[in-house]
Amino acid sequence: MIDVFQPSLGAEELERIKGVFESNWLGKGKINGEFEEGFAGHLNVGREHVFTTNCCSEGLFSSMHMFGIGPGDEVIMPTISFVGAGNAVCACGAKLVLCDVDRRTLNVRACDIEPKITPNTKAILLLHYGGVPCEMDEIMALAKKHALAVIEDSACSVASTYKGQACGTIGDMGMWSFDAMKILVCGDGSMLYFKDPALKEQAEKWLYSGLESKSGYSNSVDQKWWEYDISSFGHRAIMNDITAAMAVEQLKKLRGFIARRKEIHETYDRLLKGLDWLDTPPDIPDYCTSSYYFYHVQVVGGHRDLLAKYLREHNVYTTFRYFPLHLVKHYGIEDNFPNADYAAYNTLCLPLHQSLTDADVETVARLICRYGEDHGLNTAGSSDGY
């Protein structure tokens, strides 16, 4: 099966984990610090702005606490978003306010957000779809006008930039995911960014049970290091050195991962752009860089589900991310989202990961073209002659 996502792991990660085992310290320690330092450098920010947590969803949930969001408040987010983001808003008692997205990029725009703003709006929680940045200048200007916090879900945007600035560092808070299906993987884990270092310090305590002092060997100040106090009823959501060891080695490989994903993206473009019945992703603006997390096509004429089934029968797994939240009955949101609805019924994410071979990519494209031929669709423009 040619999978839609797949990690790339090697001997370097195993060797680094072996070192953790030999140290007899498996919890959060020096290797976490090494990863934080390295990732801060990757983002071109100071280490005082970032720290690790156990998963990106925890970052989403924590963002509500950090910005004091609760009952009576409203948070605006695109309906095409990860379910964890919607759950984070609802779990704290705030009102989830969904908005539409651009029909082709699936990114939220300022013009989608603005009509949803009310006196109760407290934050915008946006997603950079597939690693392609949203148009942040307009969104940040809108947020400033209405004094709204901006939270960037950059789970898919580990190497994306907008006008030279790393996605996730443009708003007030950002988070990146390192779970098993991302680009940089460590089993599970996340990095959080706070524009305000004071808020970062508060969040770090919140995510370690609200503790006001460190424990064990790390406490070199208190005479009785087993005594402690807390400043909040916080969670315990930390990354351990086993996962951090993987992340450190993956970060070293990230530039190569992105380069390969870009090659695959460009190959799909070359092989599929001539198909009249299938829209390839819009061109990425020259002031943005993408992480190339998704390659999404939009299949016209009601063929999306049939194409997905055909590909799966030929050992190619595809999917659609992310199922619109207004179609999730449990949220109980009824509104008109024509662009998201179009995306939900026509968009398909093709396999895209750095372990794909050229032959894999050509197989996927050939099968798509063959499906079009078998169903009498126009494939005459296919640049490769499939």
Side-chain angles (χ1 to χ4, degrees), residues 73-149:
D73 297 325
E74 296 177 0
V75 177
I76 300 173
M77 58 183 290
T79 184
I80 293 185
S81 295
F82 178 54
V83 66
N87 290 352
V89 175
C90 295
C92 74
K95 180 180 179 182
L96 175 62
V97 178
L98 300 177
C99 66
D100 212 349
V101 296
D102 180 89
R103 176 167 161 160
R104 294 285 287 111
T105 67
L106 278 64
N107 267 335
V108 68
R109 304 162 296 180
C111 63
D112 302 309
I113 297 168
E114 189 165 22
K116 301 290 184 174
I117 296 174
T118 75
N120 295 323
T121 305
K122 198 156 186 178
I124 300 165
L125 201 173
L126 61 85
L127 171 75
H128 301 290
Y129 186 82
V132 177
C134 298
E135 288 293 345
M136 293 302 294
D137 283 351
E138 293 87 346
I139 291 173
M140 293 304 297
L142 183 64
K144 182 178 180 180
K145 177 182 176 181
H146 295 276
L148 304 177

Side-chain angles (χ1 to χ4, degrees), residues 176-380:
W176 297 264
S177 175
F178 312 127
D179 72 26
M181 293 186 292
K182 294 302 186 294
I183 302 173
L184 187 163
V185 303
C186 63
D188 226 333
S190 175
M191 190 72 74
L192 306 184
Y193 165 87
F194 289 92
K195 190 174 292 295
D196 181 357
L199 197 59
K200 176 256 185 182
E201 291 183 9
Q202 179 185 341
E204 198 166 18
K205 293 176 182 178
W206 165 255
L207 291 172
Y208 198 61
S209 304
L211 287 169
E212 280 294 300
S213 60
K214 296 180 179 179
S215 61
Y217 295 139
S218 59
N219 188 334
S220 60
V221 178
D222 298 335
Q223 184 176 0
K224 298 179 181 180
W225 52 88
W226 51 85
E227 295 182 358
Y228 61 87
D229 198 3
I230 62 172
S231 56
S232 62
F233 303 124
H235 300 181
R236 187 182 186 279
I238 57 175
M239 181 187 280
N240 61 58
D241 271 6
I242 302 172
T243 52
M246 293 178 62
V248 166
E249 296 304 317
Q250 287 273 290
L251 183 58
K252 296 175 184 177
K253 302 176 181 180
L254 182 58
R255 182 176 296 181
F257 290 168
I258 299 299
R260 177 56 183 158
R261 297 175 83 99
K262 182 180 181 182
E263 288 177 355
I264 293 166
H265 187 282
E266 291 173 347
T267 301
Y268 276 138
D269 273 354
R270 176 172 57 83
L271 297 177
L272 300 176
K273 269 192 180 296
L275 303 180
D276 293 344
W277 56 278
L278 181 146
D279 291 326
T280 53
D283 293 337
I284 299 166
D286 58 9
Y287 50 84
C288 295
T289 60
S290 175
S291 296
Y292 302 100
Y293 185 61
F294 291 145
Y295 188 92
H296 71 281
V297 297
Q298 292 179 321
V299 187
V300 302
H303 282 271
R304 194 275 306 270
D305 292 357
L306 293 172
L307 175 61
K309 184 173 183 291
Y310 176 85
L311 291 172
R312 186 161 181 170
E313 289 171 348
H314 289 79
N315 295 316
V316 175
Y317 187 83
T318 59
T319 189
F320 169 56
R321 296 283 185 92
Y322 293 97
F323 188 62
L325 301 186
H326 74 276
L327 298 179
V328 178
K329 293 180 181 179
H330 194 71
Y331 289 123
I333 297 175
E334 296 183 6
D335 206 338
N336 186 33
F337 306 101
N339 292 342
D341 285 336
Y342 176 85
Y345 297 111
N346 295 280
T347 305
L348 193 64
C349 298
L350 304 184
L352 178 54
H353 54 81
Q354 56 270 12
S355 296
L356 287 173
T357 66
D358 290 346
D360 290 333
V361 180
E362 291 169 3
T363 293
V364 175
R366 185 179 298 110
L367 285 168
I368 291 171
C369 293
R370 186 183 301 163
Y371 173 89
E373 293 170 355
D374 291 348
H375 288 79
L377 304 173
N378 180 9
T379 62

